[in-house]
Amino acid sequence: MEKKVMTLRLRLPIVLTVEPPMWSSKRFVSALSTVGLFITLFLPADAFASAADDVAARLDAGPRRSLEQLRQIVPEIKSMPLQKDDVEDQLGLITIHGAAEASDLYITFSLDQWTGKIHFYQRAYSKEPNKQGKSQPMSRREIREKCVAYATSLLGGDWAQYRGDGPLMFRQVDDAASYTLNLPRDLNGGGMIDDGCVVSVDEQGTLISFFRPKETPRDPGDYYPSTVNWIAKDQAVARLRRESPMRLMYVERLPVTVDEQGNTISSRPALIYAPTRIDPIDGETGLFTYDPFLDRWGVFPKWFATPMHVGYWTTIMPPAETLVQVKGGGAPSVVANLDESAAWISQYMGVDMTGKSLDKDRSRWFMYASVEERREERYSSWSVENIINIRISKDTGRITYFSYKENGYQRQEPEADIGPEAAQATAIAFIQQFLPPGDHAMLIKAHPVANQMPEPDDIPEWVNRRDMTGWIQSDPPSYVFQFIRLYQGIPVKEQYFQVSLDGRDGRITRFEMPKSMSIDTALPDSDQAIAPEKAMDVLLADVPFSRTYYYPVYRNIFTKYTYRPVYRLSSVGMDTFWEGPLYVDAFTGNLVSFPKVLKDGK
């Protein structure tokens, strides 16, 4: 009998899935999928010669029941030759591979070798699947319902331990689109943000992948406080509507297509609505909180978030916005080389750069950088007196960031204080010198003095106070100001500025500026924009406002408990380069689409 061997195609498998969330073991998922696809693609055909029933016969009762369950959920498995991986798994998992060579379909799944629980499933193709005859794409709501239905079947009796109101992410790579629903594990009626399962489907609702971690016994104790005192969801929604209304904002370059690293290939001008605050609402006090990690990828408008280095878990309303009119001075902030950069720092920042060099930053900062930050070169200068950091836009050559830290600072009591009025005047004078000549309307937010010990009664009871004094005294008091330029009375997302000053003498210790000072005049008029209340209705209809546990921070001091119960929009804070969507198109009234990913960058 002639031995048939499966032909290896010279294309990588197409895996329609999104990265698992931060709580999952990425190494575990990556290893399973890589090994599984390797075995499936490279083994000779006679390795799959035994019928699927032969594999089932060699399984214990639990795994056998799960295999039958998968056959019902994924009908292709019924006629697919299967191969059991004989490699012993340290996690106690059985991995099975299947291949339908005629359709170029490959499936890998893993079962607990004792209980049979399904822990991993992945569907992949070695070439682009045929889209002819496919049904119309489902709506986001239908996709969520489909993902929950799959999770209910795959988890079986364990479904009661999970919640279906987690973030739903969309990702399109070339013409292949997929959705991923993250389902947090439930504890006392609240979702555990660092623990859960993941379901991915394509636009037609076909199951692409599933993952759940091995169970880890948890003792709630102080780590997950009781939810007995949680406020009702209606109360939290009412506060969200009242204190975080939808705000109009221009986006000069809303991404339409991006490459696999998230860099924008094509974009369009847009007018969007976004909630004023994306921070969670404390489930017990009903007050807005502040999370410095939510906007780490830089997608959400910074104007709507508190600067990270202010670091409040706030129990007060955010700072009021003040409209100011300023005259631009047209001073240069574009540099051609490092010598010009050093001269610019000396002239405009008042730092003597004699004998100092700016060296390229070779740290691993890019692992945590936003897409825009990856379009910048980073340099630093270290000396006995101070540490200086700058960023220069690769696109425009403009200095977009500067920070200055004094070495050997020792807090003096009482500290000198220039006062809020003088600090704000200094910040405005600094910003306006770099704006183009002419009149400019800007909004300004003045934040409370950072690095200043608050009154004892203002410190929440869950803060580890003994850790607070050391951190507060590590830097001098500072004033922090946010600015954003207006176009036709509406903020422009890309025209964001931030300035920090030393509270003792008014020295600029940190700033952020946009990579371009010009505003795209092709921005659409706002005459036909929908009402903000309707935009909020759209947002809450498609983005669940869910009960969950969250990790609180107060002035960069962590809590003595691990988590706090909160309500949060379940579309933010996930581990992907494009968070959201939390934008609503001001004209169509639809959630703004995620950008399309082009693998070849074209």
Side-chain angles (χ1 to χ4, degrees), residues 248 250 271 273 488 490 524-531 534 585-589:
L248 279 175
Y250 280 117
L271 180 63
Y273 274 107
Q488 295 183 352
I490 297 172
D525 289 331
S526 59
D527 296 345
Q528 302 301 316
I530 63 173
K534 182 177 180 180
D585 189 294
F587 300 116
T588 66

Short mmCIF file of all heavy atoms in Angstrom, two decimals, residues 248 250 271 273 488 490 524-531 534 585-589:
data_model
loop_
_atom_site.label_atom_id
_atom_site.label_comp_id
_atom_site.label_asym_id
_atom_site.label_seq_id
_atom_site.Cartn_x
_atom_site.Cartn_y
_atom_site.Cartn_z
N LEU A 248 -18.07 65.94 23.09
CA LEU A 248 -17.60 65.99 21.71
C LEU A 248 -16.10 66.22 21.67
O LEU A 248 -15.54 66.98 22.48
CB LEU A 248 -18.29 67.11 20.95
CG LEU A 248 -19.70 66.84 20.41
CD1 LEU A 248 -20.27 68.12 19.80
CD2 LEU A 248 -19.70 65.72 19.38
N TYR A 250 -12.84 66.37 18.52
CA TYR A 250 -12.31 66.12 17.18
C TYR A 250 -11.12 65.17 17.26
O TYR A 250 -10.30 65.25 18.18
CB TYR A 250 -11.86 67.43 16.52
CG TYR A 250 -12.98 68.25 15.92
CD1 TYR A 250 -13.26 69.53 16.40
CD2 TYR A 250 -13.74 67.75 14.87
CE1 TYR A 250 -14.29 70.30 15.85
CE2 TYR A 250 -14.76 68.51 14.31
CZ TYR A 250 -15.03 69.77 14.81
OH TYR A 250 -16.04 70.51 14.26
N LEU A 271 -15.42 63.33 14.15
CA LEU A 271 -16.00 63.98 15.32
C LEU A 271 -16.64 62.87 16.13
O LEU A 271 -17.53 62.16 15.65
CB LEU A 271 -17.03 65.04 14.93
CG LEU A 271 -17.71 65.78 16.08
CD1 LEU A 271 -16.70 66.58 16.89
CD2 LEU A 271 -18.81 66.71 15.55
N TYR A 273 -17.95 61.20 20.15
CA TYR A 273 -18.33 61.38 21.54
C TYR A 273 -17.52 60.38 22.37
O TYR A 273 -17.32 59.23 21.97
CB TYR A 273 -19.82 61.11 21.76
CG TYR A 273 -20.73 62.28 21.52
CD1 TYR A 273 -21.54 62.35 20.39
CD2 TYR A 273 -20.80 63.32 22.45
CE1 TYR A 273 -22.40 63.41 20.18
CE2 TYR A 273 -21.65 64.40 22.24
CZ TYR A 273 -22.45 64.44 21.12
OH TYR A 273 -23.30 65.51 20.92
N GLN A 488 -13.30 75.36 16.53
CA GLN A 488 -14.73 75.67 16.53
C GLN A 488 -15.36 75.35 17.89
O GLN A 488 -16.48 74.85 17.99
CB GLN A 488 -15.44 74.90 15.41
CG GLN A 488 -14.99 75.32 14.02
CD GLN A 488 -15.75 74.62 12.90
OE1 GLN A 488 -16.53 73.70 13.14
NE2 GLN A 488 -15.52 75.05 11.68
N ILE A 490 -14.47 73.09 20.06
CA ILE A 490 -14.44 71.66 20.44
C ILE A 490 -12.99 71.22 20.60
O ILE A 490 -12.15 71.54 19.75
CB ILE A 490 -15.15 70.80 19.36
CG1 ILE A 490 -16.63 71.21 19.27
CG2 ILE A 490 -15.01 69.31 19.67
CD1 ILE A 490 -17.36 70.56 18.11
N PRO A 524 -14.79 67.94 10.24
CA PRO A 524 -16.19 68.20 9.90
C PRO A 524 -16.87 69.15 10.87
O PRO A 524 -16.48 69.26 12.03
CB PRO A 524 -16.82 66.80 9.99
CG PRO A 524 -15.95 66.06 10.96
CD PRO A 524 -14.56 66.58 10.75
N ASP A 525 -17.90 69.84 10.36
CA ASP A 525 -18.70 70.70 11.23
C ASP A 525 -19.54 69.85 12.17
O ASP A 525 -19.89 68.71 11.87
CB ASP A 525 -19.61 71.60 10.39
CG ASP A 525 -18.82 72.66 9.65
OD1 ASP A 525 -17.76 73.05 10.16
OD2 ASP A 525 -19.26 73.09 8.57
N SER A 526 -19.90 70.46 13.31
CA SER A 526 -20.63 69.71 14.33
C SER A 526 -22.13 69.94 14.29
O SER A 526 -22.85 69.49 15.18
CB SER A 526 -20.09 70.09 15.72
OG SER A 526 -20.25 71.49 15.94
N ASP A 527 -22.62 70.62 13.24
CA ASP A 527 -24.04 71.00 13.20
C ASP A 527 -24.97 69.79 13.27
O ASP A 527 -26.05 69.86 13.87
CB ASP A 527 -24.34 71.80 11.93
CG ASP A 527 -23.58 73.12 11.89
OD1 ASP A 527 -23.07 73.52 12.95
OD2 ASP A 527 -23.48 73.72 10.81
N GLN A 528 -24.59 68.69 12.63
CA GLN A 528 -25.48 67.53 12.53
C GLN A 528 -25.18 66.47 13.58
O GLN A 528 -25.64 65.33 13.47
CB GLN A 528 -25.34 66.91 11.12
CG GLN A 528 -25.64 67.86 9.99
CD GLN A 528 -27.05 68.41 10.07
OE1 GLN A 528 -28.00 67.68 10.33
NE2 GLN A 528 -27.19 69.71 9.86
N ALA A 529 -24.41 66.81 14.62
CA ALA A 529 -24.06 65.83 15.64
C ALA A 529 -25.29 65.42 16.46
O ALA A 529 -26.19 66.24 16.72
CB ALA A 529 -23.00 66.39 16.58
N ILE A 530 -25.36 64.16 16.86
CA ILE A 530 -26.45 63.68 17.69
C ILE A 530 -26.31 64.25 19.10
O ILE A 530 -25.26 64.79 19.47
CB ILE A 530 -26.49 62.14 17.74
CG1 ILE A 530 -25.20 61.60 18.41
CG2 ILE A 530 -26.65 61.55 16.36
CD1 ILE A 530 -25.22 60.10 18.64
N ALA A 531 -27.33 64.11 19.91
CA ALA A 531 -27.30 64.61 21.28
C ALA A 531 -26.39 63.74 22.14
O ALA A 531 -26.30 62.53 21.93
CB ALA A 531 -28.71 64.64 21.86
N LYS A 534 -28.05 60.66 23.68
CA LYS A 534 -28.22 59.52 22.77
C LYS A 534 -26.90 58.76 22.61
O LYS A 534 -26.89 57.52 22.55
CB LYS A 534 -28.71 60.01 21.40
CG LYS A 534 -28.96 58.88 20.42
CD LYS A 534 -29.50 59.37 19.09
CE LYS A 534 -29.74 58.21 18.14
NZ LYS A 534 -30.27 58.66 16.82
N ASP A 585 -19.53 57.60 17.07
CA ASP A 585 -19.49 58.54 15.96
C ASP A 585 -20.60 59.58 16.15
O ASP A 585 -21.78 59.22 16.32
CB ASP A 585 -19.67 57.79 14.64
CG ASP A 585 -19.41 58.69 13.44
OD1 ASP A 585 -20.20 59.64 13.22
OD2 ASP A 585 -18.43 58.44 12.70
N ALA A 586 -20.23 60.84 16.15
CA ALA A 586 -21.18 61.91 16.45
C ALA A 586 -22.23 62.09 15.36
O ALA A 586 -23.24 62.77 15.59
CB ALA A 586 -20.45 63.23 16.68
N PHE A 587 -22.02 61.51 14.18
CA PHE A 587 -22.97 61.68 13.08
C PHE A 587 -23.83 60.42 12.87
O PHE A 587 -25.04 60.51 12.71
CB PHE A 587 -22.24 62.04 11.79
CG PHE A 587 -21.47 63.32 11.91
CD1 PHE A 587 -20.08 63.32 11.80
CD2 PHE A 587 -22.10 64.53 12.13
CE1 PHE A 587 -19.35 64.50 11.91
CE2 PHE A 587 -21.39 65.71 12.24
CZ PHE A 587 -20.01 65.70 12.13
N THR A 588 -23.20 59.24 12.88
CA THR A 588 -23.95 58.01 12.63
C THR A 588 -24.60 57.46 13.89
O THR A 588 -25.57 56.70 13.81
CB THR A 588 -23.03 56.93 12.06
OG1 THR A 588 -22.06 56.54 13.05
CG2 THR A 588 -22.31 57.44 10.82
N GLY A 589 -24.08 57.83 15.08
CA GLY A 589 -24.60 57.28 16.32
C GLY A 589 -24.19 55.84 16.56
O GLY A 589 -24.77 55.16 17.40
#
